Amino acid sequence: MTLFQYLFLDLVIILAAAHVLGAAAVRLGQPRVIGEIAAGLLLGPTVLGHLAGDAVFPTESIPGLKILAAVGLTLFMFVVGMELDHRVMRGRARVVTGLAVGSTLLPLALGCAFAFHIAPAYAHGDTLPFVLFVGVAVSATAFPVLARILADRGMQRTLIGGIALSAAAAIDIVAYTLLSVAVALDTASGNEAWRLLLVPVYVGVLFTAVRPLLRRALNTAEPLPWLFVGLFASAFAAEWLQIHYIFGAFAFGVVMPRDKTLLHRLRQRLEPAVLLLLPVFFAVTGLTVDLTALRLDEIGVLGVIMAISVVGKVAGGYGSARLFGIPHRDSATLGALVNTRGLTELVILSVGLEQGLIGVDLYAMLLVMALVTTAMTGPLISLFTPTPDGPRRRPPGTQTGPAQHPTLHEATRGGSAQ
């Protein structure tokens, strides 16, 4: 077969597997992203790859799939940035900030300490960026997946749900910022390290020059072409600055004018492309990892990673919530909610693997951690959530009246939670 025949055949297989396993995950009470990631692992060397992987996914077709995956990830990160709204902090800034800090610092510190210990065996470059990367990987929270879990359980308009979602948005920003620092540290020894000095200029241009231009462009009859021009230009600029293209897409979404009607229309226009291309990203993720290659002596490392990720997140979230006077069971629920990973974790891991910060072995273990922590969120919520008839105490420092919430990512509402 020709290269294009392989490419289209691969897309057929990927989309079909992602849809079937995604729907199966939903029926089992899990986010669709769990099934879509499982589809990638199924198609890769972990399961079917040893039998028919080379015949169906030949080496020459992988670069084309990676390009499609990069486009899908760029669009998704743009929408994630576009969905962030500073108003989610209104009336509950102290509680949200405390939860975000507590549930990030503890796993970050534990992860960095463990990474320093295993660096001689697993670091593929300098120790400092490797240590920071592992710390970020175990301390991340997936805002989009959490949004879908809350919506599925009818918690998106509860006070606890609003606090958790607001904290997850803040944690996402911190995670992407620290990830960009890790990438910058890793590339700082290169011949083009001077480009990193232009990152503040790039951010300043986005907010002072690009944002006003976006307001004008979005008022035109057909703004989408200019929007794509700006989006991919921002991704190119970030890649040229050596901070990875996902930050360019994310930052471009953040500077979008906050017009509710306009943003809703843009989400409707972009959703089909995102839903089409994100499963390709999951498949490429699965094609690059072989979980059967994990050695017995690495099970202990995986166990420590799981313990640091779960205990650090849940304990950090629970402890910080209790410090602000939130009742015991609600604090435990918040700890379970911020323990959700999902696509945010996959994005972080893919950047680490692509940049050479980690190898395939550690990547596989962190991927298992992402799947397990995402899958355990639902059962933990069921365990900790108080009964609907129980008394509800309003945490100190929060506003009275209905809680305000960010608009859920359109893909998470359409049965395709990422």
Side-chain angles (χ1 to χ4, degrees):
M1 290 195 296
T2 67
L3 178 59
F4 284 108
Q5 287 174 333
Y6 272 118
L7 187 61
F8 287 119
L9 176 61
D10 291 347
L11 287 175
V12 169
I13 296 172
I14 289 169
L15 294 176
H19 176 71
V20 171
L21 293 185
V26 172
R27 285 195 294 270
L28 293 173
Q30 292 292 339
R32 182 176 289 268
V33 66
I34 291 289
E36 293 175 337
I37 296 172
L41 293 174
L42 175 68
L43 297 174
T46 300
V47 183
L48 297 180
H50 292 297
L51 301 175
D54 292 338
V56 180
F57 297 96
T59 304
E60 56 267 23
S61 70
I62 301 300
L65 292 174
K66 286 185 175 181
I67 292 173
L68 292 175
V71 173
L73 188 56
T74 299
L75 294 175
F76 177 80
M77 292 302 299
F78 164 67
V79 177
V80 170
M82 187 173 66
E83 289 284 359
L84 290 180
D85 190 344
H86 68 276
R87 290 176 297 179
V88 301
M89 300 283 285
R90 186 180 299 165
R92 57 173 102 94
R94 290 176 62 250
V95 177
V96 170
T97 302
L99 177 62
V101 170
S103 61
T104 300
L105 283 184
L106 181 57
L108 179 68
L110 293 174
C112 287
F114 182 63
F116 186 78
H117 174 71
I118 64 173
Y122 289 97
H124 281 228
D126 293 338
T127 299
L128 181 57
F130 170 80
V131 168
L132 180 57
F133 174 81
V134 174
V136 172
V138 299
S139 62
T141 296
F143 169 78
V145 174
L146 181 58
R148 178 54 193 251
I149 291 174
L150 292 172
D152 286 346
R153 292 176 170 266
M155 296 176 62
Q156 76 273 28
R157 297 195 179 278
T158 65
L159 182 63
I160 293 302
I163 291 174
L165 204 56
S166 303
I171 295 170
D172 262 12
I173 294 175
V174 173
Y176 291 134
T177 301
L178 292 178
L179 180 59
S180 66
V181 172
V183 173
L185 288 173
D186 185 58
T187 58
S189 59
N191 295 328
E192 304 294 334
W194 60 269
R195 296 180 184 179
L196 296 173
L197 299 175
L198 298 177
V199 172
V201 177
Y202 160 72
V203 174
V205 169
L206 280 179
F207 280 92
T208 60
V210 174
R211 195 169 196 174
L213 291 176
L214 282 172
R215 288 195 181 96
R216 296 181 186 177
L218 294 176
N219 288 325
T220 60
E222 187 51 65
L224 211 55
W226 288 113
L227 185 66
F228 283 136
V229 169
L231 170 60
F232 290 109
S234 181
F236 165 78
E239 191 71 20
W240 185 83
L241 291 169
Q242 304 185 69
I243 56 172
H244 208 273
Y245 65 86
I246 67 165
F247 305 111
F250 180 75
F252 193 77
V254 169
V255 301
M256 284 286 293
R258 289 315 193 252
D259 183 288
K260 187 175 180 180
T261 302
L262 178 63
L263 294 183
H264 177 69
R265 185 175 60 160
L266 286 176
R267 283 193 301 271
Q268 287 183 318
R269 300 285 294 274
L270 293 173
E271 182 188 19
V274 173
L275 297 182
L276 171 67
L277 295 175
L278 267 185
V280 181
F281 171 71
F282 297 135
V284 171
T285 298
L287 292 172
T288 57
V289 61
D290 184 1
L291 297 183
T292 63
L294 287 176
R295 304 188 306 270
L296 288 177
D297 58 344
E298 291 179 323
I299 301 301
V301 176
L302 175 59
V304 175
I305 290 174
M306 288 296 307
I308 288 173
S309 303
V310 176
V311 175
K313 267 293 184 184
V314 176
Y318 172 83
S320 58
R322 290 292 289 153
L323 285 176
F324 284 90
I326 297 178
H328 163 69
R329 296 188 70 178
D330 283 343
S331 295
T333 300
L334 287 171
L337 288 171
V338 296
N339 188 47
T340 305
R341 265 66 175 203
L343 184 56
T344 299
E345 184 72 18
L346 256 67
V347 171
I348 292 173
L349 296 183
S350 66
V351 171
L353 186 64
E354 185 180 316
Q355 295 292 134
L357 290 168
I358 56 174
V360 176
D361 44 6
L362 187 56
Y363 174 87
M365 289 184 276
L366 290 170
L367 179 62
V368 172
M369 178 272 291
L371 286 169
V372 173
T373 53
T374 303
M376 69 190 301
T377 300
L380 284 178
I381 295 174
S382 298
L383 178 65
F384 295 142
T385 301
T387 58
D389 297 331
R392 303 299 299 233
R393 228 177 105 196
R394 181 169 297 278
T398 60
Q399 65 181 15
T400 57
Q404 302 296 318
H405 304 278
T407 304
L408 298 185
H409 185 279
E410 190 71 18
T412 66
R413 278 185 276 171
S416 178
Q418 310 307 336

